[in-house]
Amino acid sequence: MKYQSQLLIFGIFSVGIVLISIIMPPTSQSIEYHQFVDQRTYFGIPNFFNVVSNIFLLFSGLAGLIFLLRPQEFLIHRAFIKFSERWPYFILFLSVIMASLASTYYHLAPDNTRLFWDRIPIAIGIVTLLSTVLIERISINIGFISLPFLILFGTGSVMYWYWSEQYDLGNLNYYIVVQFYSILAIILLGKYFSSRYTRGADIYIVIILYSSAKLAEIADHEIYSLGQVISGHSVKHLFVGMAVFWIIYMLHKRRPL
């Protein structure tokens, strides 16, 4: 197989990251996490902007599904070499739609139980994006075989966190791996493994937009203080929507090499 040594190193490194997350002390969920700065109510909707900004995620996910439902003769040998390669993207765009709905549900009354449902589709989405990179840069078989295991690990990390919260353990370690190592893994795969399609560098734009969303989330209060127009968490939803739209743009423009 091409890139055998690089793939072996990548696999060992990935296993090492998971092992580190096991032996590290538990990372607890901050009790202040649910206290978003923008709690304004409009039209009877609490946390109005954090709720309605999820429309960006909904529209981007729907746009992705519409793109994938285009005729096979358009998709084959354009966006995809094999028609089956579109299935992980179906899961990805569906997870975005589910995330928009779950995030709306969460922000109406933020607590850990609602956050559990919010994080499930987020975890599925990020690991599914990783599987598409494996399919397009390593091997279709490896990508498809890894997909169910990645989804199992992603959902399991959220379930474990929620279970640990019920017993006052509060361990976010595995969810952190899903969130942040998936991004790092995509960057590493993009750097060391060639894509079978043009527009391969677009994955970096997607990662930049998603990383900007995470930074906006962290700077929730700081962004809101700039005129009290919109908070960082609402901006996060906008950036994630932009990242998904860029994936659709990449698929529309790319061609097999």
Side-chain angles (χ1 to χ4, degrees):
M1 181 189 294
K2 191 179 181 182
Y3 305 123
Q4 258 188 335
S5 60
Q6 294 98 318
L7 187 58
L8 178 61
I9 293 171
F10 175 75
I12 294 172
F13 183 64
S14 299
V15 171
I17 292 293
V18 174
L19 291 176
I20 290 172
S21 71
I22 294 174
I23 63 176
M24 279 185 61
T27 303
S28 60
Q29 176 73 64
S30 169
I31 59 175
E32 299 177 354
Y33 180 84
H34 306 298
Q35 300 302 313
F36 301 102
V37 64
D38 189 356
Q39 299 182 15
R40 292 173 292 181
T41 298
Y42 294 105
F43 310 108
I45 301 175
N47 308 310
F48 179 80
F49 287 103
N50 285 344
V51 170
V52 301
S53 57
N54 283 290
I55 198 167
F56 294 111
L57 302 183
L58 179 62
F59 283 166
S60 63
L62 289 173
L65 289 184
I66 291 170
F67 175 83
L68 293 178
L69 291 173
R70 301 183 76 170
Q72 179 173 342
E73 57 270 17
F74 174 84
L75 291 178
I76 199 73
H77 300 312
R78 292 192 181 188
F80 304 103
I81 295 174
K82 293 187 176 181
F83 200 55
S84 60
E85 291 180 56
R86 69 186 182 133
W87 288 113
Y89 284 99
F90 262 118
I91 297 173
L92 173 60
F93 295 135
L94 280 173
S95 72
V96 172
I97 293 172
M98 294 306 299
S100 72
L101 300 177
S103 180
T104 297
Y105 171 69
Y106 166 65
H107 283 291
L108 286 170
D111 62 17
N112 276 348
T113 298
R114 291 181 178 229
L115 184 60
F116 168 79
W117 295 110
D118 185 24
R119 282 178 168 168
I120 287 288
I122 293 173
I124 292 174
I126 191 66
V127 298
T128 302
L129 181 62
L130 173 58
S131 78
T132 67
V133 177
L134 289 170
I135 288 170
E136 293 163 10
R137 294 179 182 269
I138 304 298
S139 143
I140 292 177
N141 288 337
I142 289 177
F144 272 105
I145 291 171
S146 67
L147 179 56
F149 294 101
L150 288 171
I151 291 176
L152 182 63
F153 184 76
T155 55
S157 72
V158 181
M159 294 173 70
Y160 176 75
W161 160 72
Y162 186 66
W163 172 84
S164 68
E165 288 289 343
Q166 310 310 303
Y167 293 91
D168 296 322
L169 300 174
N171 192 352
L172 277 169
N173 287 4
Y174 305 122
Y175 182 69
I176 291 172
V177 169
V178 168
Q179 276 277 318
F180 294 99
Y181 181 64
S182 293
I183 295 173
L184 176 59
I186 290 171
I187 294 172
L188 293 174
L189 290 169
K191 179 174 177 59
Y192 294 106
F193 300 89
S194 300
S195 175
R196 294 182 293 117
Y197 297 92
T198 61
R199 312 287 307 189
D202 282 30
I203 193 63
Y204 296 125
I205 299 176
V206 174
I207 293 302
I208 289 171
L209 289 170
Y210 187 77
S211 299
S212 298
K214 301 302 292 183
L215 291 174
E217 179 182 31
I218 295 170
D220 187 40
H221 287 70
E222 290 77 6
I223 292 174
Y224 186 71
S225 67
L226 301 174
Q228 297 188 356
V229 177
I230 191 170
S231 69
H233 204 88
S234 297
V235 172
K236 169 196 173 182
H237 295 158
L238 174 60
F239 271 118
V240 174
M242 291 170 61
V244 178
F245 274 118
W246 200 275
I247 293 173
I248 301 168
Y249 176 76
M250 173 192 71
L251 293 175
H252 176 71
K253 290 291 185 180
R254 76 181 188 179
R255 297 292 182 269
L257 290 172

